[in-house]
Amino acid sequence: MEFLEKLEDCKNLVYLSLRHNKLQGSIPDSMNNMIGLEFLDLSHNNISGIIPISLEKLQNLKYFNVSVNKLYGEIPSGGGGGPFKNLSSQFFIYNEALCGSSRFSVPPCPTSSKHRSNRKKLLVLFLLLGIGLVFVPITFGFLWIRYRRGKRTYQQAHPFSISTRGRISYYELLQATDGLSESNLIGSGSFGSVYKGVLRSGTPIAVKVFNLQLDMAFKSFDTECEVLCNLRHRNLVKVITSCSNLDFKALVLEYMPNGES
């Protein structure tokens, strides 16, 4: 409406009534410059479009009547502290499709698809955060327990230092047992003899040397390696490592003097 746009500079205008004037067009945003306006009646016209939310800036406006027009869209709720918070529903009746707060006796405005989409995204985000807060600590605790158990089992199965857990050479065994001397012989059996010795690290060991002149010695060596490496019992002597070549096969065991359990 060009007429109203021409009035935007009338900042000191207090009273304006244009009812029953067959006005057409929309209410211009520029009317928010009429800061002195206290009374505005635009009822019984052909005004269309929306009610500009910028009119909430008219803090002195006490009367605002736009009934019997073709307005649509949301009625400003007065959330900004403007004049709409005190207006009656009678000022908005008989319009095309106004919506807003129930105190204006109009239907609620439909939620836009954008707002619905944003709400769905927020809902999914909060759901994922909730799942994360529940399952992440549980997963971390489960992995920590497995790590601790694995570490404890590893320590129990490998009680010696790193130097003794590695493969020990034939010459190291000879040095540890004084060349497999009879003075270090603990006992002998069908497939070999057992010698005691001390590694350079100071770790006492027992060395079971297999008699390779017997055909069954090779099979016995493989069988004992498999069985003793897989069995764990506090009363069984633990296997530290093995030493094997074409002419020599031996198991290096933890040395346990008589009387120890």
Side-chain angles (χ1 to χ4, degrees):
M1 292 183 292
E2 295 183 2
F3 175 73
L4 289 178
E5 290 179 352
K6 293 178 180 179
L7 295 176
E8 63 182 60
D9 294 328
C10 300
K11 296 183 179 181
N12 296 322
L13 183 64
V14 176
Y15 186 98
L16 179 62
S17 178
L18 297 172
R19 66 196 311 265
H20 292 287
N21 274 284
K22 298 182 181 180
L23 296 176
Q24 296 182 354
S26 59
I27 302 172
D29 281 329
S30 58
M31 288 193 69
N32 63 57
N33 294 323
M34 304 170 67
I35 56 177
L37 199 62
E38 296 181 7
F39 184 100
L40 178 60
D41 192 344
L42 300 175
S43 63
H44 296 85
N45 285 290
N46 291 316
I47 301 173
S48 59
I50 64 171
I51 300 174
I53 195 172
S54 61
L55 296 184
E56 287 191 339
K57 295 180 180 180
L58 302 178
Q59 299 294 326
N60 296 319
L61 190 63
K62 298 178 177 62
Y63 184 96
F64 177 73
N65 192 343
V66 290
S67 60
V68 194
N69 277 289
K70 297 180 180 179
L71 296 169
Y72 58 84
E74 185 174 6
I75 301 173
S77 62
F84 291 90
K85 64 180 180 179
N86 297 319
L87 295 179
S88 168
S89 62
Q90 297 299 314
F91 295 158
F92 303 98
I93 61 174
Y94 302 118
N95 273 283
E96 188 169 303
L98 286 175
C99 62
S101 174
S102 59
R103 62 187 176 87
F104 294 128
S105 299
V106 293
C109 295
T111 304
S112 67
S113 59
K114 181 178 180 180
H115 289 166
R116 286 196 298 268
S117 177
N118 289 338
R119 285 198 299 180
K120 288 182 179 180
K121 289 179 180 179
L122 287 175
L123 182 61
V124 172
L125 178 61
F126 284 127
L127 182 61
L128 291 176
L129 286 175
I131 293 175
L133 290 174
V134 171
F135 286 98
V136 169
I138 293 176
T139 304
F140 178 79
F142 175 74
L143 293 176
W144 177 252
I145 291 173
R146 289 196 61 181
Y147 168 76
R148 295 294 297 176
R149 286 180 177 176
K151 185 176 181 181
R152 187 163 52 247
T153 303
Y154 183 84
Q155 290 174 342
Q156 291 174 352
H158 303 79
F160 299 100
S161 63
I162 296 177
S163 62
T164 61
R165 288 201 300 268
R167 183 171 294 276
I168 300 173
S169 69
Y170 171 73
Y171 297 101
E172 287 180 288
L173 292 182
L174 290 181
Q175 184 179 16
T177 59
D178 292 332
L180 302 176
S181 65
E182 292 188 3
S183 60
N184 288 327
L185 180 65
I186 299 175
S188 59
S190 302
F191 297 106
S193 303
V194 180
Y195 299 86
K196 65 179 180 178
V198 180
L199 295 175
R200 283 178 294 180
S201 62
T203 303
I205 59 171
V207 184
K208 182 175 182 179
V209 180
F210 289 78
N211 184 2
L212 300 185
Q213 295 178 356
L214 301 175
D215 293 336
M216 293 298 293
F218 289 91
K219 184 177 181 180
S220 177
F221 173 77
D222 294 337
T223 302
E224 290 194 35
C225 282
E226 181 179 356
V227 172
L228 291 177
C229 287
N230 291 323
L231 285 179
R232 294 290 181 267
H233 193 279
R234 63 188 183 89
N235 292 328
L236 292 178
V237 176
K238 298 178 177 63
V239 177
I240 300 174
T241 185
S242 63
C243 182
S244 176
N245 56 42
L246 294 176
D247 302 317
F248 182 83
K249 292 185 181 296
L251 289 176
V252 182
L253 312 169
E254 175 187 357
Y255 177 68
M256 300 180 66
N258 291 334
E260 291 189 10
S261 58

